[in-house]
Amino acid sequence: MQKVEEIDELCKRYFRLYDKYIQLQTSLQQSLKSGYWNLARSRHSGVRIIESMIPGSIIPQRVIQPTTRNTTDDATISSVGALTLQDNEDSDSLEVNNVKAKSDPLYWFGYLAPPQLRRCQKEFAQATDIAVDLANIKIQMAEVQARYQELRNSS
Amino acid sequence: QVPSVGVWRRNACLICSFEMSNNSGKGSAGSSLTFNINDGYLDALLRGFRIGILTTADYSNLVQCDTLEDMKLHLASTDYGDFLANEPSPLHTTTIQDKCTLRMVKEFTHIRAQAAEPLATFMDYISYQYMIDNVVLLITGTLHERDITELIEKCHPLGMFDSMATLSVATSISELYNNVLVDTPLGPYIQGCLTEVDLDEMNIETVRNTLYKAYLEDFHQFCLEMGGPTAEMMDKILSFEADRRSINITINSFGTELSKDERQKLYPNFGVLHPEGIMKLAKADDIEQVRQALDYYETYKRLLSDSMGGGGLGEKSLEDSFFEHETALNKDAFENQFSYAVFYAYFKLKEQEIRNIVWIAECIQQKQKQKINQFIPIF
């Protein structure tokens, strides 16, 4: 009986996670659409955004770190893999001929960036956060699925 | 009673002296008696090109396209012809932009090749703005460790000069001047910011705006010296350009490390906003203070409120309002005759046309057809 209840709980949890997954997918789609749109508007207002202005060697501003976390949702799952987005300590600047180029991509195409380009950067940064959340949800869904399969096979 | 020959002769002399006294400047640009001698053919050619500018009917065909291939078909029935015929599919918006720009460059070089003085110098002035953009592109690319040959390919064709490849060795502004710019027409324009400081993104922006400010002031002075309808129309157009640059520099500098003093040095010293509006803009810290600074200038107050009042969603940006006003000024240039302003206006209208075509292409490609009508129709 306890097993049946546990299976029911796992199913409920799985569907909650799936619902959140769909919502995050929609948000990601909106963020990316808005980001590309603002990029087009920046080009339209005169900013030259071309591949040749991007530095040859790029140091990322944020990196993904795999961590472990303890879940409180289900007592049987204690520590699982997860991803977090952290600021990159090495991303101070690029140095060319002792001159520091800005590491913030906003300034690669001209120091006086128009508001559309700033909005574009914000949207893409938000999309990155959402993508990491999506990956974490998928990890959790896979764990729930594995546990469910284990319980079904043992019954 | 028919006037005698003597009366006709006297009246003709009065008209001649009136025309001559109106044109106290160099050459005889603007004089209705002498304009057509050197510049009549090119003026007529240019007005022929002007008829080929896309109309509202052409745009209504383009906005109904579902793919870029459809756009290519519709553009083939305009003056553009089959300029995209040899491009591999799938088409990209950057390809369309590059090919449209090449057509404009062809028209420019055709007219420039046949221009006599002072039209030749006038057209050279038009090309200097592209030269400034190219210089900035090359220095920025060098700062970002890109290969110089790759960067030169991306330069605007109207702004090429001989010593472009040597731009990669310049690491400070004074080196840039001494090694490269001194032999180009942009040499005199850099006097305002010669320092030994290394070039980084902020200094490059300072170089760009200093060059542009000096160029605009020099061009404005040249047009005023020409006198006549050229001076009249170009004064309006270039004053708007100067004011627009001041407003854009102010708004885009919020949130950056550019100080107010440095910002003030970048404002051109002519235009409707000069000097009172400029002083207020120099002290502004946010968009609200910019709005207050422009409150006394009816045109700019209207442009700013159009862009910010549109639902607050930024559907019509300030840049769109500026483009709209610039297009209206450029169209007016064609209402006058015996003026060089039509040459400047035509190429600016062509640039706007290219922006419109690229806008429509982006909306189609990104499936944002609800925003497709935000381009600015010209004729």
Side-chain angles (χ1 to χ4, degrees):
Chain A
M1 200 55 203
Q2 196 191 357
K3 236 184 220 175
V4 170
E5 281 170 7
E6 202 183 326
I7 289 179
D8 282 346
E9 277 307 312
L10 282 174
C11 284
K12 279 196 253 178
R13 189 170 167 220
Y14 187 85
F15 283 119
R16 278 197 296 271
L17 285 172
Y18 191 71
D19 186 44
K20 202 169 171 196
Y21 180 80
I22 297 290
Q23 285 172 7
L24 283 175
Q25 277 282 16
T26 315
S27 311
L28 181 68
Q29 187 191 28
Q30 296 292 359
S31 276
L32 285 176
K33 197 173 177 182
S34 182
Y36 280 114
W37 177 248
N38 280 305
L39 198 63
R41 286 198 66 85
S42 306
R43 280 203 173 101
H44 182 67
S45 64
V47 183
R48 284 205 78 187
I49 300 171
I50 50 179
E51 194 260 332
S52 310
M53 292 176 96
I54 298 172
S57 52
I58 300 178
I59 300 172
Q61 287 195 299
R62 297 156 88 194
V63 293
I64 293 179
Q65 296 288 351
T67 59
T68 57
R69 59 174 177 81
N70 294 323
T71 64
T72 51
D73 287 353
D74 189 347
T76 56
I77 302 172
S78 56
S79 80
V80 296
L83 302 172
T84 53
L85 209 51
Q86 291 174 354
D87 290 335
N88 187 2
E89 285 105 24
D90 299 328
S91 77
D92 268 343
S93 57
L94 309 163
E95 272 208 31
V96 177
N97 300 332
N98 299 323
V99 176
K100 288 191 177 166
K102 296 261 181 287
S103 60
D104 187 351
L106 187 68
Y107 301 122
W108 291 347
F109 310 104
Y111 191 68
L112 297 178
Q116 295 94 335
L117 199 59
R118 290 171 198 270
R119 271 200 295 270
C120 163
Q121 188 187 40
K122 233 187 253 180
E123 297 284 352
F124 282 132
Q126 196 179 3
T128 320
D129 288 324
I130 297 175
V132 170
D133 288 342
L134 269 172
N136 282 332
I137 297 264
K138 279 200 96 168
I139 292 172
Q140 291 174 43
M141 281 168 68
E143 286 153 13
V144 169
Q145 211 167 352
R147 178 66 186 147
Y148 175 83
Q149 221 39 54
E150 199 185 303
L151 286 174
R152 284 298 299 260
N153 290 342
S154 64
S155 65
Chain B
Q1 192 183 1
V2 176
S4 70
V5 172
V7 173
W8 283 115
R9 198 174 288 154
R10 183 174 62 94
N11 288 344
C13 287
L14 275 174
I15 292 169
C16 284
S17 61
F18 178 67
E19 290 284 350
M20 293 298 187
S21 66
N22 261 354
N23 300 295
S24 53
K26 329 181 152 150
S28 50
S31 163
S32 51
L33 290 173
T34 54
F35 182 86
N36 284 340
I37 298 170
N38 283 329
D39 306 316
Y41 167 66
L42 291 175
D43 185 48
L45 193 65
L46 190 91
R47 288 179 190 265
F49 286 156
R50 168 238 181 274
I51 292 173
I53 289 182
L54 299 183
T55 60
T56 325
D58 294 317
Y59 285 123
S60 63
N61 284 338
L62 287 175
V63 300
Q64 285 166 27
C65 296
D66 288 322
T67 63
L68 298 189
E69 302 296 334
D70 291 344
M71 272 190 78
K72 176 174 153 182
L73 265 172
H74 278 112
L75 284 173
S77 62
T78 64
D79 260 26
Y80 281 103
D82 52 358
F83 71 124
L84 290 171
N86 298 329
E87 296 307 312
S89 85
L91 271 181
H92 294 286
T93 52
T94 42
T95 316
I96 296 179
Q97 182 169 16
D98 291 342
K99 290 292 168 194
C100 288
T101 307
L102 278 179
R103 273 208 56 124
M104 183 191 86
V105 166
K106 204 170 155 188
E107 287 169 357
F108 186 95
T109 42
H110 181 76
I111 292 184
R112 175 64 186 85
Q114 300 178 74
E117 289 297 343
L119 178 59
T121 307
F122 185 88
M123 292 194 73
D124 285 341
Y125 269 109
I126 300 176
S127 70
Y128 293 163
Q129 68 170 99
Y130 302 108
M131 220 179 264
I132 294 172
D133 287 339
N134 288 347
V135 165
V136 170
L137 171 66
L138 290 172
I139 310 173
T140 310
T142 306
L143 177 68
H144 292 158
E145 298 173 297
R146 300 304 295 242
D147 183 41
I148 192 80
T149 39
E150 181 193 345
L151 293 167
I152 288 180
E153 276 170 28
K154 295 290 176 188
C155 286
H156 197 289
L158 288 181
M160 305 298 260
F161 54 94
D162 290 333
S163 42
M164 284 181 103
T166 52
L167 270 169
S168 56
V169 303
T171 53
S172 75
I173 301 179
S174 50
E175 257 182 58
L176 175 68
Y177 172 69
N178 290 325
N179 296 340
V180 187
L181 293 184
V182 65
D183 292 327
T184 67
L186 301 180
Y189 299 152
I190 199 140
Q191 301 291 343
C193 66
L194 271 178
T195 62
E196 295 293 338
V197 175
D198 283 339
L199 287 168
D200 65 6
E201 269 93 354
M202 192 162 93
N203 292 339
I204 291 174
E205 194 67 35
T206 310
V207 166
R208 183 212 303 266
N209 286 299
T210 308
L211 283 174
Y212 203 88
K213 167 190 150 110
Y215 150 71
L216 212 54
E217 287 166 1
D218 192 26
F219 192 13
H220 184 244
Q221 191 54 35
F222 176 78
C223 293
L224 289 182
E225 283 168 10
M226 286 216 280
T230 302
E232 190 187 322
M233 202 61 226
M234 287 306 293
D235 182 39
K236 275 190 218 163
I237 293 175
L238 292 179
S239 295
F240 173 68
E241 186 61 31
D243 294 334
R244 172 207 213 165
R245 282 200 75 81
S246 303
I247 296 170
N248 276 337
I249 288 171
T250 311
I251 293 178
N252 293 344
S253 67
F254 296 147
T256 66
E257 290 162 11
L258 194 70
S259 70
K260 288 183 186 172
D261 289 333
E262 283 165 349
R263 187 211 294 170
Q264 189 166 10
K265 286 186 207 159
L266 304 178
Y267 297 146
N269 66 1
F270 69 98
V272 172
L273 291 179
H274 178 75
E276 293 93 10
I278 292 292
M279 272 170 39
K280 287 190 192 153
L281 277 180
K283 295 181 190 144
D285 283 314
D286 55 39
I287 190 78
E288 196 45 49
Q289 291 181 16
V290 169
R291 189 207 285 274
Q292 284 168 8
L294 299 179
D295 220 23
Y296 294 108
Y297 303 92
E298 198 54 47
T299 314
Y300 302 130
K301 179 179 170 185
R302 179 179 54 83
L303 292 178
L304 201 61
S305 63
D306 275 351
S307 67
M308 292 174 73
L313 295 170
E315 287 301 330
K316 187 178 186 185
S317 70
L318 184 60
E319 208 53 53
D320 288 334
S321 304
F322 282 152
F323 282 140
E324 211 175 314
H325 188 71
E326 184 195 12
T327 303
L329 284 175
N330 288 328
K331 276 161 66 176
D332 283 348
F334 283 93
E335 302 300 320
N336 221 333
Q337 268 210 294
F338 313 124
S339 149
Y340 288 162
V342 289
F343 292 91
Y344 181 90
Y346 172 74
F347 291 105
K348 286 293 155 187
L349 289 176
K350 272 312 254 196
E351 276 185 357
Q352 182 60 44
E353 180 180 277
I354 294 172
R355 269 194 291 270
N356 287 345
I357 293 173
V358 170
W359 177 257
I360 293 172
E362 287 279 2
C363 288
I364 289 172
Q365 196 164 55
Q366 293 192 26
K367 308 226 185 310
Q368 297 257 27
K369 300 254 323 237
Q370 70 277 21
K371 300 191 184 172
I372 204 168
N373 288 315
Q374 285 177 17
F375 63 91
I376 294 161
I378 302 173
F379 290 118

